[in-house]
Amino acid sequence: MGNVSKDDALYQEMCRVVGKVVLEMRDLGQEPKHIVIAGVVRTSLANQRVKRSELTTEAMERVIKALAG
């Protein structure tokens, strides 16, 4: 994979976070609308019991900002 810049790594992590939420919503029969996805990510981020890397935390915060405005 070589050297992946921080921006590339962040982008890939953002895509992973959103993809996971969209697939879980699909499995539950919900339509993945952008504001709902942002809410799911925000709720997940609020759970302090889950240990996350700095990259994942930053990616989640940026996903929320991008989707919720």
Side-chain angles (χ1 to χ4, degrees):
M1 217 149 117
N3 277 341
V4 177
S5 73
K6 184 181 186 306
D7 287 342
D8 288 340
L10 179 61
Y11 179 77
Q12 290 175 9
E13 186 65 6
M14 289 171 69
C15 291
R16 188 194 68 78
V17 166
V18 171
K20 183 176 179 182
V21 171
V22 168
L23 291 174
E24 287 178 10
M25 290 177 72
R26 183 209 57 200
D27 289 347
L28 295 172
Q30 297 177 349
E31 186 174 339
K33 297 181 180 182
H34 71 280
I35 197 71
V36 177
I37 295 168
V40 170
V41 175
R42 185 179 294 113
T43 300
S44 179
L45 187 59
N47 183 354
Q48 297 297 317
R49 292 180 288 180
V50 176
K51 300 208 182 221
R52 295 179 185 86
S53 69
E54 287 182 37
L55 180 65
T56 298
T57 300
E58 184 177 356
M60 292 173 81
E61 290 169 349
R62 289 192 182 209
V63 164
I64 294 165
K65 286 178 186 174
L67 295 177

